[in-house]
Amino acid sequence: MEKHHIESYLSEEEVVERIKELGAQISKDYEGKTVHLICVLKGGSFFMCELAKRITVPVTLDFMSVSSYGGGTSSSGVIKIVKDLDETLEGRDVIIIEDIIDSGRTLSHLMELLSKRNPNSMKLCTLLDKPDRRVVDVHVDYTGYSIPDEFVVGYGLDYDQMYRNLPYIGIVKFD
Ligand code: IMP
Ligand code: MG
């Protein structure tokens, strides 16, 4: 690992506050429905747990894990399902929960793939978005924070699998 340090960017209080707002918005938008949250592992897990707690309409949860071919720091967008969903999406009101949208490649492939499973509706919710990095157009329905083009960690986000457990969002600064 290159020598680096972490600079605090969004405090735990700020993140939790924003997630409460998203939860309230989703509860309003899905009134009278059951919302089916799909967590994209591993990065989306901390966000999904916190968000699910703030949603007041009935919630069901499922998890999936994808990896993009090619590895490295940028995704190729050609995704492989590492762990598929346990349940069907047929007729459900689905929200995909992501940690961050960067190029948009992963999400555009994933949404294309999941839309073939006939959900009643499918929306996308991300904790963080780096719009400046977008290569593929993806429509994001709920965004926690739009951030500049920096490499961030914490609240589920990793740098080489480290720092997912930080309770805040930090920027990785290379020394
Ligand atoms: P995309 O296909 O380029 O949008 O890739 C999105 C994925 O790249 C996310 O789910 C993260 O796993 C990873 N990623 C992108 N930017 C960051 C970052 O700043 N910190 C940690 N992971 C990131
Ligand atoms: Mg990831």
Side-chain angles (χ1 to χ4, degrees), residues 75 98-100 102-106 130 150-152 157-158:
S75 60
E98 251 287 29
D99 52 355
I100 189 164
D102 188 36
S103 71
R105 286 190 178 106
T106 310
K130 290 199 248 186
E150 298 272 7
F151 198 82
V152 289
L157 290 133
D158 72 300

Side-chain angles (χ1 to χ4, degrees), residues 53-84:
K53 281 156 59 185
R54 309 299 173 182
I55 296 175
T56 52
V57 297
V59 169
T60 52
L61 309 173
D62 208 345
F63 298 83
M64 89 184 283
S65 180
V66 298
S67 74
S68 66
Y69 286 106
T73 49
S74 64
S75 60
S76 64
V78 184
I79 59 167
K80 182 174 77 168
I81 297 179
V82 176
K83 182 224 174 291
D84 205 343

Side-chain angles (χ1 to χ4, degrees), residues 19-88:
I19 295 175
K20 280 184 193 167
E21 290 174 7
L22 290 174
Q25 183 66 50
I26 290 170
S27 304
K28 200 166 144 239
D29 294 351
Y30 286 82
E31 218 183 311
K33 295 180 178 165
T34 295
V35 65
H36 189 56
L37 304 181
I38 292 180
C39 172
V40 183
L41 294 168
K42 307 170 186 158
S45 57
F46 289 69
F47 176 40
M48 185 175 86
C49 292
E50 197 59 40
L51 180 66
K53 281 156 59 185
R54 309 299 173 182
I55 296 175
T56 52
V57 297
V59 169
T60 52
L61 309 173
D62 208 345
F63 298 83
M64 89 184 283
S65 180
V66 298
S67 74
S68 66
Y69 286 106
T73 49
S74 64
S75 60
S76 64
V78 184
I79 59 167
K80 182 174 77 168
I81 297 179
V82 176
K83 182 224 174 291
D84 205 343
L85 298 168
D86 292 336
E87 292 170 48
T88 176

Side-chain angles (χ1 to χ4, degrees), residues 17 21 43 56 72 88 90 102 110 123 139 149 174:
E17 209 40 55
E21 290 174 7
T56 52
T88 176
E90 186 86 42
D102 188 36
L110 185 62
K123 286 191 180 184
H139 179 74
D149 182 12
F174 294 96

